[in-house]
mmCIF file of all heavy atoms in Angstrom:
data_model
loop_
_atom_site.group_PDB
_atom_site.id
_atom_site.type_symbol
_atom_site.label_atom_id
_atom_site.label_comp_id
_atom_site.label_asym_id
_atom_site.label_seq_id
_atom_site.Cartn_x
_atom_site.Cartn_y
_atom_site.Cartn_z
ATOM 1 N N ALA A 24 167.267 12.617 -73.323
ATOM 2 C CA ALA A 24 168.669 12.668 -72.898
ATOM 3 C C ALA A 24 169.263 14.059 -73.053
ATOM 4 O O ALA A 24 170.104 14.488 -72.256
ATOM 5 C CB ALA A 24 169.487 11.650 -73.693
ATOM 6 N N LEU A 25 168.824 14.787 -74.079
ATOM 7 C CA LEU A 25 169.330 16.130 -74.331
ATOM 8 C C LEU A 25 168.630 17.192 -73.486
ATOM 9 O O LEU A 25 169.043 18.357 -73.484
ATOM 10 C CB LEU A 25 169.155 16.482 -75.817
ATOM 11 C CG LEU A 25 170.007 15.694 -76.814
ATOM 12 C CD1 LEU A 25 169.483 15.879 -78.227
ATOM 13 C CD2 LEU A 25 171.471 16.100 -76.730
ATOM 14 N N GLY A 26 167.564 16.799 -72.804
ATOM 15 C CA GLY A 26 166.812 17.753 -72.009
ATOM 16 C C GLY A 26 165.995 18.712 -72.852
ATOM 17 O O GLY A 26 165.737 19.851 -72.443
ATOM 18 N N ILE A 27 165.569 18.260 -74.038
ATOM 19 C CA ILE A 27 164.769 19.097 -74.937
ATOM 20 C C ILE A 27 163.317 18.625 -74.879
ATOM 21 O O ILE A 27 163.021 17.449 -75.123
ATOM 22 C CB ILE A 27 165.296 19.011 -76.384
ATOM 23 C CG1 ILE A 27 166.737 19.545 -76.470
ATOM 24 C CG2 ILE A 27 164.393 19.797 -77.338
ATOM 25 C CD1 ILE A 27 167.391 19.342 -77.832
ATOM 26 N N ASP A 28 162.420 19.536 -74.548
ATOM 27 C CA ASP A 28 160.987 19.240 -74.481
ATOM 28 C C ASP A 28 160.342 19.704 -75.785
ATOM 29 O O ASP A 28 160.229 20.906 -76.017
ATOM 30 C CB ASP A 28 160.371 19.967 -73.291
ATOM 31 C CG ASP A 28 158.869 19.718 -73.166
ATOM 32 O OD1 ASP A 28 158.274 19.116 -74.073
ATOM 33 O OD2 ASP A 28 158.283 20.152 -72.153
ATOM 34 N N PRO A 29 159.927 18.787 -76.648
ATOM 35 C CA PRO A 29 159.354 19.191 -77.939
ATOM 36 C C PRO A 29 158.166 20.137 -77.803
ATOM 37 O O PRO A 29 158.035 21.079 -78.594
ATOM 38 C CB PRO A 29 158.936 17.859 -78.569
ATOM 39 C CG PRO A 29 159.858 16.853 -77.961
ATOM 40 C CD PRO A 29 160.053 17.321 -76.545
ATOM 41 N N LEU A 30 157.310 19.907 -76.817
ATOM 42 C CA LEU A 30 156.141 20.774 -76.662
ATOM 43 C C LEU A 30 156.557 22.191 -76.281
ATOM 44 O O LEU A 30 156.037 23.174 -76.818
ATOM 45 C CB LEU A 30 155.196 20.195 -75.615
ATOM 46 C CG LEU A 30 153.871 20.930 -75.410
ATOM 47 C CD1 LEU A 30 153.086 21.001 -76.723
ATOM 48 C CD2 LEU A 30 153.042 20.239 -74.333
ATOM 49 N N ALA A 31 157.527 22.309 -75.376
ATOM 50 C CA ALA A 31 158.012 23.628 -74.984
ATOM 51 C C ALA A 31 158.782 24.297 -76.119
ATOM 52 O O ALA A 31 158.708 25.514 -76.305
ATOM 53 C CB ALA A 31 158.894 23.511 -73.743
ATOM 54 N N GLU A 32 159.510 23.499 -76.879
ATOM 55 C CA GLU A 32 160.353 24.045 -77.943
ATOM 56 C C GLU A 32 159.526 24.555 -79.119
ATOM 57 O O GLU A 32 159.767 25.653 -79.624
ATOM 58 C CB GLU A 32 161.317 22.957 -78.436
ATOM 59 C CG GLU A 32 162.271 23.392 -79.528
ATOM 60 C CD GLU A 32 163.437 24.220 -79.039
ATOM 61 O OE1 GLU A 32 163.600 24.374 -77.815
ATOM 62 O OE2 GLU A 32 164.183 24.745 -79.884
ATOM 63 N N ASP A 33 158.564 23.768 -79.570
ATOM 64 C CA ASP A 33 157.845 24.086 -80.796
ATOM 65 C C ASP A 33 156.353 24.315 -80.597
ATOM 66 O O ASP A 33 155.639 24.609 -81.568
ATOM 67 C CB ASP A 33 158.045 22.970 -81.826
ATOM 68 C CG ASP A 33 159.450 22.970 -82.403
ATOM 69 O OD1 ASP A 33 160.080 24.035 -82.419
ATOM 70 O OD2 ASP A 33 159.926 21.895 -82.829
ATOM 71 N N GLY A 34 155.866 24.143 -79.381
ATOM 72 C CA GLY A 34 154.447 24.344 -79.135
ATOM 73 C C GLY A 34 153.572 23.254 -79.723
ATOM 74 O O GLY A 34 152.367 23.443 -79.891
ATOM 75 N N PHE A 35 154.189 22.106 -80.007
ATOM 76 C CA PHE A 35 153.455 21.020 -80.678
ATOM 77 C C PHE A 35 154.046 19.702 -80.194
ATOM 78 O O PHE A 35 155.266 19.514 -80.225
ATOM 79 C CB PHE A 35 153.611 21.140 -82.193
ATOM 80 C CG PHE A 35 152.629 20.325 -82.993
ATOM 81 C CD1 PHE A 35 151.373 20.810 -83.282
ATOM 82 C CD2 PHE A 35 152.979 19.061 -83.464
ATOM 83 C CE1 PHE A 35 150.465 20.058 -84.023
ATOM 84 C CE2 PHE A 35 152.084 18.306 -84.208
ATOM 85 C CZ PHE A 35 150.823 18.809 -84.486
ATOM 86 N N PRO A 36 153.207 18.771 -79.719
ATOM 87 C CA PRO A 36 153.751 17.495 -79.216
ATOM 88 C C PRO A 36 154.212 16.593 -80.350
ATOM 89 O O PRO A 36 153.749 16.708 -81.489
ATOM 90 C CB PRO A 36 152.551 16.883 -78.485
ATOM 91 C CG PRO A 36 151.357 17.433 -79.212
ATOM 92 C CD PRO A 36 151.738 18.829 -79.633
ATOM 93 N N LEU A 37 155.142 15.702 -80.042
ATOM 94 C CA LEU A 37 155.553 14.711 -81.038
ATOM 95 C C LEU A 37 154.392 13.757 -81.301
ATOM 96 O O LEU A 37 153.826 13.184 -80.366
ATOM 97 C CB LEU A 37 156.757 13.914 -80.534
ATOM 98 C CG LEU A 37 158.085 14.643 -80.487
ATOM 99 C CD1 LEU A 37 159.161 13.743 -79.875
ATOM 100 C CD2 LEU A 37 158.516 15.090 -81.885
ATOM 101 N N PRO A 38 154.015 13.563 -82.556
ATOM 102 C CA PRO A 38 152.923 12.631 -82.854
ATOM 103 C C PRO A 38 153.381 11.182 -82.730
ATOM 104 O O PRO A 38 154.584 10.880 -82.770
ATOM 105 C CB PRO A 38 152.576 12.967 -84.311
ATOM 106 C CG PRO A 38 153.845 13.509 -84.886
ATOM 107 C CD PRO A 38 154.552 14.209 -83.766
ATOM 108 N N GLU A 39 152.418 10.311 -82.585
ATOM 109 C CA GLU A 39 152.723 8.874 -82.586
ATOM 110 C C GLU A 39 153.130 8.468 -84.001
ATOM 111 O O GLU A 39 152.620 8.995 -84.992
ATOM 112 C CB GLU A 39 151.513 8.068 -82.126
ATOM 113 C CG GLU A 39 151.146 8.288 -80.662
ATOM 114 C CD GLU A 39 152.271 7.884 -79.727
ATOM 115 O OE1 GLU A 39 152.904 6.821 -79.958
ATOM 116 O OE2 GLU A 39 152.528 8.627 -78.763
ATOM 117 N N TRP A 40 154.066 7.505 -84.078
ATOM 118 C CA TRP A 40 154.541 7.049 -85.384
ATOM 119 C C TRP A 40 155.082 5.635 -85.256
ATOM 120 O O TRP A 40 155.647 5.253 -84.227
ATOM 121 C CB TRP A 40 155.652 7.960 -85.906
ATOM 122 C CG TRP A 40 156.175 7.579 -87.268
ATOM 123 C CD1 TRP A 40 155.682 7.979 -88.466
ATOM 124 C CD2 TRP A 40 157.263 6.693 -87.555
ATOM 125 N NE1 TRP A 40 156.399 7.409 -89.496
ATOM 126 C CE2 TRP A 40 157.394 6.608 -88.963
ATOM 127 C CE3 TRP A 40 158.155 5.961 -86.768
ATOM 128 C CZ2 TRP A 40 158.354 5.822 -89.588
ATOM 129 C CZ3 TRP A 40 159.120 5.172 -87.385
ATOM 130 C CH2 TRP A 40 159.208 5.113 -88.784
ATOM 131 N N GLY A 41 154.944 4.882 -86.320
ATOM 132 C CA GLY A 41 155.572 3.577 -86.429
ATOM 133 C C GLY A 41 155.693 3.216 -87.892
ATOM 134 O O GLY A 41 154.926 3.721 -88.730
ATOM 135 N N PRO A 42 156.653 2.357 -88.249
ATOM 136 C CA PRO A 42 156.812 1.983 -89.655
ATOM 137 C C PRO A 42 155.543 1.416 -90.280
ATOM 138 O O PRO A 42 155.206 1.736 -91.420
ATOM 139 C CB PRO A 42 157.937 0.946 -89.628
ATOM 140 C CG PRO A 42 158.679 1.217 -88.359
ATOM 141 C CD PRO A 42 157.662 1.721 -87.386
#
Side-chain angles (χ1 to χ4, degrees):
L25 292 165
I27 298 173
D28 179 352
L30 184 58
E32 181 77 7
D33 288 334
F35 195 85
L37 288 176
E39 293 299 318
W40 182 88

